[in-house]
Amino acid sequence: MNQIDANWVTAHTKHRLTKGHKKTFGHVLVIAGSPGKVGSGILCARAALHAGCGLVTAMIPSEGVAALLAGNPEIMYNTTGSLRELDLSSFDAIAIGPGIGFSDESVDNVRYLLQTYLGPLVIDADALSILGLNPDLLNLLNERHILTPHIGEFARIQKFSGNSEQQSFAFAHAHNTNLILKSSPTLVSLPSGQQFVNTTGNDGMATAGSGDVLTGITAALCAQGYGNGDAACLAVYVHGLAADIAVETQSKSSLVASDIIKNLGQTRLLD
């Protein structure tokens, strides 16, 4: 199994264009949050912005707009709800799932994206559970998609028992898709048959919103032109490294997802 370490990251990181502009670095759409769970959408959108993409639009419930803009006025927003009313071709990558719930509209949004969106799509949290509840959607997965389940979510999708490492490899191959299995350590399985193990991160990351941050980072890297496999591997490394930097000055027990976002810039890897 390949390791995602400092040497791998150095060999696969692209330097930013010094004469680039905001559209050069991509536009991410984050579809996240529902009444009572808007924080997940805010974390995901903030992470995408701080991971280097040029533009971020958050599709979140109206109750979250004030909090979103108070923390990051740079993020655009849309409270429409249905993706069928948007021009999805204007986005370079899309992330869906954190806190969206299981309404008919959420299920329709997941199905619509899988059927129509031709760019990189990062699928997390409630969107993963929607796949598990609607197994026919698994047939729509392909190499443009990155799934980011923790072991419990993966079990609900795959309904497996046994070795999660082997199951994640088999799932990525069977569905010709990319899979980040969030664990300790985190594994990345690619449709090419390659599998990677991450070397960064700590147990302080076992906290609410940490996965939402990873989803935002992954989508941001896709929007900046990384291939889905490289984006997945680089995202888990940077995500874990930011958490490792955070616990140099605070306890692991005090770590929260926002601390990971705050330390993304300290990794010095995305420039």
Side-chain angles (χ1 to χ4, degrees):
M1 184 182 297
N2 304 294
Q3 282 197 333
I4 311 170
D5 55 18
N7 290 332
W8 187 95
V9 169
T10 299
H12 290 83
T13 302
K14 300 188 296 185
H15 294 293
R16 288 170 69 87
L17 297 175
T18 56
K19 294 184 179 180
H21 50 81
K22 60 187 178 184
K23 291 187 178 180
T24 303
F25 302 112
H27 189 174
V28 169
L29 173 64
V30 170
I31 305 149
S34 58
K37 296 181 180 179
V38 296
S40 56
I42 294 171
L43 286 168
C44 189
R46 286 183 60 215
L49 185 69
H50 287 276
C53 65
L55 296 162
V56 178
T57 295
M59 179 180 278
I60 61 172
S62 56
E63 70 180 69
V65 171
L68 174 74
L69 297 181
N72 278 106
E74 304 90 348
I75 297 173
M76 297 174 286
Y77 67 90
N78 187 301
T79 60
T80 303
S82 175
L83 291 174
R84 295 178 184 273
E85 300 179 31
L86 297 184
D87 176 13
L88 298 181
S89 66
S90 63
F91 302 105
D92 299 290
I94 295 177
I96 185 169
I100 62 172
F102 306 101
S103 66
D104 290 344
E105 185 172 68
S106 292
V107 174
D108 183 66
N109 280 341
V110 172
R111 185 180 298 276
Y112 183 67
L113 282 176
L114 290 173
Q115 290 175 334
T116 64
Y117 184 60
L118 300 180
L121 175 63
V122 185
I123 305 170
D124 185 30
D126 291 346
L128 294 170
S129 295
I130 287 172
L131 294 183
L133 294 168
N134 299 271
D136 63 298
L137 296 180
L138 296 175
N139 297 325
L140 300 175
L141 295 175
N142 58 53
E143 71 280 356
R144 297 192 302 273
H145 305 142
I146 304 175
L147 281 65
T148 64
H150 55 60
I151 289 178
E153 290 167 334
F154 185 52
R156 288 194 289 275
I157 299 170
Q158 181 72 355
K159 299 177 175 59
F160 74 89
S161 60
N163 189 303
S164 59
E165 178 181 318
Q166 294 176 356
Q167 291 290 338
S168 60
F169 175 85
F171 184 93
H173 177 72
H175 295 282
N176 192 36
T177 198
N178 304 274
L179 180 75
I180 298 173
L181 184 62
K182 296 179 289 195
S183 185
S184 181
T186 290
L187 302 175
V188 179
S189 299
L190 307 182
S192 64
Q194 292 178 292
Q195 194 167 44
F196 297 82
V197 58
N198 189 36
T199 58
T200 60
N202 59 77
D203 55 276
M205 300 171 74
T207 184
S210 178
D212 306 330
V213 172
L214 176 61
T215 296
I217 296 170
T218 307
L221 293 172
C222 290
Q224 290 171 73
Y226 284 93
N228 281 7
D230 284 355
C233 291
L234 184 56
V236 298
Y237 185 90
V238 171
H239 183 242
L241 182 58
D244 288 342
I245 292 171
V247 298
E248 291 177 0
T249 56
Q250 68 182 91
S251 69
K252 290 187 286 186
S253 60
S254 71
L255 185 72
V256 295
S258 293
D259 296 325
I260 300 174
I261 298 173
K262 290 176 185 176
N263 284 281
L264 285 174
Q266 299 303 314
T267 67
R268 303 288 182 182
L269 293 177
L270 302 180
D271 293 340

Short mmCIF file of all heavy atoms in Angstrom, two decimals, residues 79-121:
data_model
loop_
_atom_site.label_atom_id
_atom_site.label_comp_id
_atom_site.label_asym_id
_atom_site.label_seq_id
_atom_site.Cartn_x
_atom_site.Cartn_y
_atom_site.Cartn_z
N THR A 79 -30.18 30.20 -1.31
CA THR A 79 -31.11 29.51 -0.42
C THR A 79 -32.25 28.84 -1.20
O THR A 79 -33.28 28.50 -0.64
CB THR A 79 -31.71 30.48 0.61
OG1 THR A 79 -32.40 31.53 -0.08
CG2 THR A 79 -30.63 31.09 1.48
N THR A 80 -32.04 28.61 -2.49
CA THR A 80 -33.08 28.07 -3.35
C THR A 80 -33.57 26.71 -2.90
O THR A 80 -34.77 26.44 -2.82
CB THR A 80 -32.58 27.97 -4.80
OG1 THR A 80 -32.16 29.27 -5.24
CG2 THR A 80 -33.66 27.45 -5.72
N GLY A 81 -32.65 25.80 -2.63
CA GLY A 81 -33.03 24.45 -2.18
C GLY A 81 -32.95 23.41 -3.27
O GLY A 81 -32.36 22.36 -3.09
N SER A 82 -33.54 23.67 -4.42
CA SER A 82 -33.54 22.70 -5.51
C SER A 82 -32.44 23.02 -6.52
O SER A 82 -32.35 24.13 -7.03
CB SER A 82 -34.89 22.67 -6.23
OG SER A 82 -34.83 21.81 -7.36
N LEU A 83 -31.62 22.02 -6.82
CA LEU A 83 -30.53 22.21 -7.77
C LEU A 83 -31.02 22.37 -9.20
O LEU A 83 -30.29 22.86 -10.06
CB LEU A 83 -29.58 21.02 -7.69
CG LEU A 83 -28.77 20.91 -6.41
CD1 LEU A 83 -27.97 19.61 -6.40
CD2 LEU A 83 -27.83 22.10 -6.26
N ARG A 84 -32.24 21.98 -9.47
CA ARG A 84 -32.76 22.04 -10.82
C ARG A 84 -32.93 23.49 -11.30
O ARG A 84 -33.13 23.72 -12.49
CB ARG A 84 -34.10 21.29 -10.91
CG ARG A 84 -33.94 19.80 -10.65
CD ARG A 84 -35.26 19.06 -10.68
NE ARG A 84 -35.10 17.67 -10.34
CZ ARG A 84 -34.81 16.69 -11.21
NH1 ARG A 84 -34.69 17.00 -12.49
NH2 ARG A 84 -34.68 15.45 -10.82
N GLU A 85 -32.83 24.42 -10.37
CA GLU A 85 -32.96 25.84 -10.72
C GLU A 85 -31.61 26.52 -10.95
O GLU A 85 -31.57 27.71 -11.22
CB GLU A 85 -33.73 26.56 -9.62
CG GLU A 85 -35.14 26.02 -9.39
CD GLU A 85 -35.87 26.74 -8.28
OE1 GLU A 85 -35.61 27.94 -8.09
OE2 GLU A 85 -36.70 26.10 -7.60
N LEU A 86 -30.52 25.77 -10.81
CA LEU A 86 -29.18 26.35 -10.95
C LEU A 86 -28.52 25.88 -12.23
O LEU A 86 -28.79 24.79 -12.74
CB LEU A 86 -28.30 25.95 -9.77
CG LEU A 86 -28.71 26.42 -8.37
CD1 LEU A 86 -27.64 26.00 -7.37
CD2 LEU A 86 -28.91 27.93 -8.33
N ASP A 87 -27.58 26.71 -12.73
CA ASP A 87 -26.73 26.31 -13.85
C ASP A 87 -25.49 25.65 -13.26
O ASP A 87 -24.52 26.31 -12.88
CB ASP A 87 -26.34 27.54 -14.68
CG ASP A 87 -25.36 27.19 -15.80
OD1 ASP A 87 -25.18 25.99 -16.09
OD2 ASP A 87 -24.76 28.13 -16.37
N LEU A 88 -25.51 24.34 -13.16
CA LEU A 88 -24.41 23.62 -12.51
C LEU A 88 -23.11 23.69 -13.30
O LEU A 88 -22.04 23.48 -12.74
CB LEU A 88 -24.81 22.16 -12.30
CG LEU A 88 -26.03 21.92 -11.39
CD1 LEU A 88 -26.28 20.43 -11.25
CD2 LEU A 88 -25.83 22.56 -10.03
N SER A 89 -23.19 23.99 -14.58
CA SER A 89 -21.97 24.05 -15.40
C SER A 89 -21.07 25.22 -15.00
O SER A 89 -19.91 25.27 -15.41
CB SER A 89 -22.34 24.16 -16.88
OG SER A 89 -22.98 25.40 -17.15
N SER A 90 -21.58 26.14 -14.20
CA SER A 90 -20.77 27.28 -13.77
C SER A 90 -19.85 26.95 -12.60
O SER A 90 -19.03 27.78 -12.20
CB SER A 90 -21.67 28.46 -13.40
OG SER A 90 -22.49 28.15 -12.29
N PHE A 91 -19.97 25.74 -12.07
CA PHE A 91 -19.16 25.33 -10.92
C PHE A 91 -18.10 24.32 -11.35
O PHE A 91 -18.38 23.40 -12.11
CB PHE A 91 -20.04 24.73 -9.82
CG PHE A 91 -21.10 25.68 -9.34
CD1 PHE A 91 -22.43 25.50 -9.71
CD2 PHE A 91 -20.78 26.76 -8.54
CE1 PHE A 91 -23.41 26.38 -9.28
CE2 PHE A 91 -21.76 27.65 -8.12
CZ PHE A 91 -23.07 27.46 -8.48
N ASP A 92 -16.89 24.49 -10.83
CA ASP A 92 -15.78 23.60 -11.18
C ASP A 92 -15.76 22.35 -10.32
O ASP A 92 -15.10 21.36 -10.68
CB ASP A 92 -14.46 24.35 -11.06
CG ASP A 92 -14.40 25.54 -12.00
OD1 ASP A 92 -14.31 25.32 -13.22
OD2 ASP A 92 -14.46 26.69 -11.52
N ALA A 93 -16.40 22.37 -9.19
CA ALA A 93 -16.54 21.20 -8.32
C ALA A 93 -17.72 21.44 -7.39
O ALA A 93 -18.03 22.59 -7.06
CB ALA A 93 -15.27 20.94 -7.52
N ILE A 94 -18.35 20.36 -6.96
CA ILE A 94 -19.50 20.45 -6.06
C ILE A 94 -19.30 19.49 -4.90
O ILE A 94 -18.82 18.37 -5.08
CB ILE A 94 -20.81 20.12 -6.80
CG1 ILE A 94 -21.09 21.18 -7.88
CG2 ILE A 94 -21.99 20.05 -5.84
CD1 ILE A 94 -22.34 20.89 -8.72
N ALA A 95 -19.67 19.94 -3.71
CA ALA A 95 -19.70 19.08 -2.52
C ALA A 95 -21.13 19.04 -2.02
O ALA A 95 -21.80 20.07 -1.93
CB ALA A 95 -18.78 19.63 -1.44
N ILE A 96 -21.59 17.84 -1.66
CA ILE A 96 -22.96 17.70 -1.16
C ILE A 96 -23.00 16.73 0.01
O ILE A 96 -22.28 15.74 0.03
CB ILE A 96 -23.93 17.22 -2.27
CG1 ILE A 96 -25.38 17.22 -1.74
CG2 ILE A 96 -23.53 15.87 -2.83
CD1 ILE A 96 -26.43 17.01 -2.82
N GLY A 97 -23.82 17.07 1.00
CA GLY A 97 -24.10 16.09 2.03
C GLY A 97 -24.12 16.54 3.48
O GLY A 97 -25.02 16.15 4.22
N PRO A 98 -23.14 17.32 3.94
CA PRO A 98 -23.12 17.63 5.38
C PRO A 98 -24.42 18.28 5.86
O PRO A 98 -24.78 19.37 5.41
CB PRO A 98 -21.93 18.59 5.51
CG PRO A 98 -21.02 18.20 4.39
CD PRO A 98 -21.94 17.84 3.26
N GLY A 99 -25.15 17.59 6.70
CA GLY A 99 -26.33 18.15 7.33
C GLY A 99 -27.53 18.39 6.45
O GLY A 99 -28.46 19.09 6.85
N ILE A 100 -27.58 17.80 5.24
CA ILE A 100 -28.70 18.12 4.33
C ILE A 100 -29.99 17.40 4.73
O ILE A 100 -31.06 17.77 4.26
CB ILE A 100 -28.37 17.80 2.86
CG1 ILE A 100 -28.09 16.30 2.67
CG2 ILE A 100 -27.22 18.65 2.37
CD1 ILE A 100 -27.95 15.89 1.21
N GLY A 101 -29.89 16.37 5.57
CA GLY A 101 -31.09 15.64 5.96
C GLY A 101 -31.57 14.70 4.86
O GLY A 101 -30.86 14.45 3.88
N PHE A 102 -32.80 14.19 5.03
CA PHE A 102 -33.28 13.13 4.15
C PHE A 102 -34.64 13.46 3.53
O PHE A 102 -35.44 12.58 3.24
CB PHE A 102 -33.37 11.82 4.94
CG PHE A 102 -32.07 11.47 5.61
CD1 PHE A 102 -31.89 11.72 6.97
CD2 PHE A 102 -31.03 10.94 4.88
CE1 PHE A 102 -30.69 11.43 7.58
CE2 PHE A 102 -29.82 10.63 5.50
CZ PHE A 102 -29.64 10.88 6.85
N SER A 103 -34.87 14.75 3.31
CA SER A 103 -36.13 15.17 2.69
C SER A 103 -36.18 14.70 1.24
O SER A 103 -35.16 14.31 0.65
CB SER A 103 -36.26 16.69 2.73
OG SER A 103 -35.26 17.29 1.91
N ASP A 104 -37.35 14.74 0.66
CA ASP A 104 -37.50 14.38 -0.75
C ASP A 104 -36.62 15.27 -1.62
O ASP A 104 -36.05 14.80 -2.62
CB ASP A 104 -38.96 14.50 -1.18
CG ASP A 104 -39.85 13.44 -0.56
OD1 ASP A 104 -39.31 12.43 -0.05
OD2 ASP A 104 -41.09 13.61 -0.58
N GLU A 105 -36.53 16.54 -1.25
CA GLU A 105 -35.71 17.47 -2.02
C GLU A 105 -34.23 17.08 -1.95
O GLU A 105 -33.53 17.13 -2.97
CB GLU A 105 -35.90 18.90 -1.51
CG GLU A 105 -35.17 19.94 -2.35
CD GLU A 105 -35.55 21.36 -1.93
OE1 GLU A 105 -35.18 21.76 -0.80
OE2 GLU A 105 -36.20 22.04 -2.72
N SER A 106 -33.76 16.68 -0.78
CA SER A 106 -32.36 16.27 -0.65
C SER A 106 -32.07 15.03 -1.47
O SER A 106 -31.04 14.94 -2.16
CB SER A 106 -32.02 16.01 0.83
OG SER A 106 -32.03 17.20 1.57
N VAL A 107 -32.98 14.07 -1.44
CA VAL A 107 -32.82 12.85 -2.24
C VAL A 107 -32.81 13.21 -3.72
O VAL A 107 -31.98 12.70 -4.50
CB VAL A 107 -33.92 11.83 -1.93
CG1 VAL A 107 -33.83 10.63 -2.87
CG2 VAL A 107 -33.85 11.38 -0.48
N ASP A 108 -33.69 14.09 -4.13
CA ASP A 108 -33.74 14.51 -5.54
C ASP A 108 -32.46 15.23 -5.95
O ASP A 108 -31.97 15.04 -7.06
CB ASP A 108 -34.95 15.41 -5.77
CG ASP A 108 -35.09 15.81 -7.23
OD1 ASP A 108 -35.35 14.91 -8.07
OD2 ASP A 108 -34.91 17.00 -7.55
N ASN A 109 -31.91 16.05 -5.05
CA ASN A 109 -30.68 16.77 -5.36
C ASN A 109 -29.51 15.81 -5.58
O ASN A 109 -28.71 15.98 -6.51
CB ASN A 109 -30.33 17.76 -4.24
CG ASN A 109 -31.14 19.03 -4.32
OD1 ASN A 109 -31.70 19.37 -5.36
ND2 ASN A 109 -31.20 19.76 -3.20
N VAL A 110 -29.41 14.79 -4.72
CA VAL A 110 -28.35 13.80 -4.89
C VAL A 110 -28.52 13.06 -6.21
O VAL A 110 -27.57 12.91 -6.99
CB VAL A 110 -28.34 12.80 -3.71
CG1 VAL A 110 -27.36 11.65 -3.98
CG2 VAL A 110 -27.97 13.52 -2.41
N ARG A 111 -29.73 12.62 -6.49
CA ARG A 111 -29.98 11.90 -7.73
C ARG A 111 -29.70 12.78 -8.96
O ARG A 111 -29.07 12.33 -9.93
CB ARG A 111 -31.44 11.41 -7.77
CG ARG A 111 -31.78 10.53 -8.97
CD ARG A 111 -33.25 10.09 -8.93
NE ARG A 111 -33.54 9.30 -7.75
CZ ARG A 111 -33.31 7.99 -7.68
NH1 ARG A 111 -32.81 7.34 -8.72
NH2 ARG A 111 -33.63 7.33 -6.57
N TYR A 112 -30.14 14.03 -8.90
CA TYR A 112 -29.96 14.95 -10.02
C TYR A 112 -28.48 15.18 -10.31
O TYR A 112 -28.05 15.20 -11.47
CB TYR A 112 -30.66 16.26 -9.71
CG TYR A 112 -30.62 17.28 -10.81
CD1 TYR A 112 -31.30 17.07 -12.01
CD2 TYR A 112 -29.91 18.47 -10.67
CE1 TYR A 112 -31.27 18.00 -13.03
CE2 TYR A 112 -29.87 19.41 -11.67
CZ TYR A 112 -30.55 19.18 -12.86
OH TYR A 112 -30.52 20.12 -13.87
N LEU A 113 -27.68 15.36 -9.25
CA LEU A 113 -26.24 15.55 -9.44
C LEU A 113 -25.59 14.33 -10.07
O LEU A 113 -24.79 14.45 -11.01
CB LEU A 113 -25.56 15.86 -8.10
CG LEU A 113 -25.71 17.27 -7.56
CD1 LEU A 113 -25.07 17.37 -6.18
CD2 LEU A 113 -25.08 18.29 -8.49
N LEU A 114 -25.92 13.17 -9.55
CA LEU A 114 -25.32 11.95 -10.09
C LEU A 114 -25.69 11.73 -11.55
O LEU A 114 -24.90 11.21 -12.34
CB LEU A 114 -25.77 10.75 -9.26
CG LEU A 114 -25.20 10.65 -7.84
CD1 LEU A 114 -25.88 9.52 -7.07
CD2 LEU A 114 -23.70 10.44 -7.86
N GLN A 115 -26.87 12.16 -11.92
CA GLN A 115 -27.35 11.95 -13.29
C GLN A 115 -26.85 13.01 -14.27
O GLN A 115 -26.70 12.71 -15.46
CB GLN A 115 -28.88 11.92 -13.31
CG GLN A 115 -29.49 10.71 -12.66
CD GLN A 115 -31.01 10.78 -12.60
OE1 GLN A 115 -31.59 11.87 -12.59
NE2 GLN A 115 -31.66 9.63 -12.55
N THR A 116 -26.59 14.23 -13.79
CA THR A 116 -26.37 15.32 -14.73
C THR A 116 -25.04 16.05 -14.59
O THR A 116 -24.53 16.57 -15.59
CB THR A 116 -27.48 16.38 -14.61
OG1 THR A 116 -27.45 16.98 -13.31
CG2 THR A 116 -28.86 15.74 -14.84
N TYR A 117 -24.47 16.13 -13.40
CA TYR A 117 -23.28 16.97 -13.23
C TYR A 117 -22.04 16.24 -13.76
O TYR A 117 -21.78 15.09 -13.38
CB TYR A 117 -23.08 17.36 -11.76
CG TYR A 117 -21.91 18.30 -11.56
CD1 TYR A 117 -21.89 19.54 -12.18
CD2 TYR A 117 -20.83 17.93 -10.78
CE1 TYR A 117 -20.82 20.41 -12.01
CE2 TYR A 117 -19.76 18.79 -10.59
CZ TYR A 117 -19.75 20.03 -11.21
OH TYR A 117 -18.68 20.88 -11.06
N LEU A 118 -21.28 16.91 -14.60
CA LEU A 118 -20.15 16.28 -15.27
C LEU A 118 -18.80 16.62 -14.65
O LEU A 118 -17.76 16.14 -15.11
CB LEU A 118 -20.13 16.70 -16.75
CG LEU A 118 -21.38 16.30 -17.55
CD1 LEU A 118 -21.24 16.76 -19.00
CD2 LEU A 118 -21.63 14.80 -17.48
N GLY A 119 -18.79 17.43 -13.59
CA GLY A 119 -17.55 17.78 -12.92
C GLY A 119 -17.30 16.93 -11.69
O GLY A 119 -18.07 16.01 -11.38
N PRO A 120 -16.23 17.23 -10.95
CA PRO A 120 -15.94 16.48 -9.73
C PRO A 120 -17.02 16.70 -8.67
O PRO A 120 -17.43 17.84 -8.43
CB PRO A 120 -14.60 17.07 -9.27
CG PRO A 120 -14.03 17.75 -10.47
CD PRO A 120 -15.19 18.23 -11.26
N LEU A 121 -17.46 15.63 -8.05
CA LEU A 121 -18.52 15.68 -7.06
C LEU A 121 -18.06 14.96 -5.80
O LEU A 121 -17.74 13.76 -5.85
CB LEU A 121 -19.79 15.02 -7.61
CG LEU A 121 -20.98 14.88 -6.66
CD1 LEU A 121 -21.48 16.25 -6.21
CD2 LEU A 121 -22.10 14.09 -7.32
#
